[in-house]
Each structure stands twice: as C-alpha cells, then as structure tokens.
Amino acid sequence: QKIITRSSRMGISASFTVTDRWLKKFLALRAMSVFEVKVFDATLSGYATRNMFIDDDSFQYSLVTAARYETGTTGLYKLSFNLEEV
C-alpha cells in the first residue's frame, strides 16, 4: 500500500468585511463541496483554474457594526476562511 501526498496543493487565506448579502453568498459557497477558483499562477505568468473548497473549521464571521441608517441590511460582518485545493 502506498500513500501519495501531493505537495503542490494550493491553500489561500481570505478575510473580508462584507454586508449580509455577501455573507449569504459566501455561506452558499461554503455549502458546496467543490467549486472553481481562478487564481494568478506566477509560474505560468497567468491565471489558472483550480478546484477548491472552503475549510469548515476556518470559516468564521462576526457582526462588526449594526446597520442604523441603511435599509435592507443588518450591518457589516468580518468574514475569514481558508480555501483548500482538492
């Protein structure tokens, strides 16, 4: 039996301040098992498409400021997560 480890797996850490509308979009992405991400690859000097997923353990969000004057939003959220290549 052999165990093969791929050393070229890409990982990306992301952090955003978003409205509740964008938070819902990221929550939907988190629910997907795999999705395509276009990233800049310096070795290719161009963009490459990678299959990635959001690591559930790293997905965190919290309310930064509640909306006082804006209608249609509950406020701004601090969101962070890690993308891992399949």
Side-chain angles (χ1 to χ4, degrees):
Q1 185 177 22
K2 293 183 181 179
I3 298 173
I4 299 173
T5 303
R6 186 173 162 199
S7 62
S8 62
R9 276 184 45 180
M10 181 179 286
I12 300 171
S13 296
S15 180
F16 303 100
T17 301
V18 297
T19 63
D20 59 338
R21 181 182 296 167
W22 276 101
L23 179 61
K24 288 176 187 174
K25 292 179 183 184
F26 281 108
L27 286 167
L29 275 177
R30 176 180 153 192
M32 296 174 66
S33 58
V34 176
F35 50 90
E36 290 185 348
V37 176
K38 189 181 262 190
V39 296
F40 185 79
D41 189 336
T43 59
L44 300 174
S45 296
Y47 288 93
T49 301
R50 306 280 181 133
N51 290 322
M52 303 188 96
F53 65 95
I54 293 177
D55 177 26
D56 280 334
D57 294 334
S58 70
F59 194 89
Q60 298 177 347
Y61 64 93
S62 60
L63 183 64
V64 175
T65 180
R68 295 181 189 156
Y69 308 108
E70 301 172 24
T71 57
T73 184
T74 58
L76 294 176
Y77 293 83
K78 179 74 173 174
L79 168 67
S80 63
F81 56 87
N82 295 329
L83 290 171
E84 300 290 335
E85 188 174 14
V86 176

